[in-house]
Amino acid sequence: MKITVNVDCTPQEAREFMGLPNLQPMQEKVMKELEQQMLDNLGKMSPDAIMRNWMSFAPEQFQEMFKMTFGGGGNNKPTK
């Protein structure tokens, strides 16, 4: 014997029927905080902010970082 029961309800109604907690207020709060963090960090990725961060190094540190990044470790003189 096979019995099929179809229940037509919204997800909210199903959660209430099953006795599950309503997490929507908590989810909204977390999403607002996440959005704010993303917006705050977006300013750190601007070209101006990146260059200011790079230029905060001493010239020797910047030169060493540039060599490490682009592999210019040797003292090769440019050819004419």
Side-chain angles (χ1 to χ4, degrees), residues 35-47 49:
E35 181 182 5
Q36 187 61 44
Q37 286 178 356
M38 289 175 65
L39 291 174
D40 291 344
N41 289 329
L42 190 61
K44 295 178 185 175
M45 296 303 294
S46 70

Side-chain angles (χ1 to χ4, degrees), residues 7-51:
V7 178
D8 186 24
C9 66
T10 65
Q12 178 68 28
E13 292 170 338
R15 281 192 296 272
E16 289 173 2
F17 178 76
M18 300 293 279
L20 298 173
N22 183 9
L23 300 177
Q24 187 172 1
M26 184 180 69
Q27 288 174 338
E28 288 173 1
K29 181 180 177 185
V30 169
M31 290 305 293
K32 284 180 184 177
E33 289 177 10
L34 182 62
E35 181 182 5
Q36 187 61 44
Q37 286 178 356
M38 289 175 65
L39 291 174
D40 291 344
N41 289 329
L42 190 61
K44 295 178 185 175
M45 296 303 294
S46 70
D48 182 48
I50 291 172
M51 288 305 292

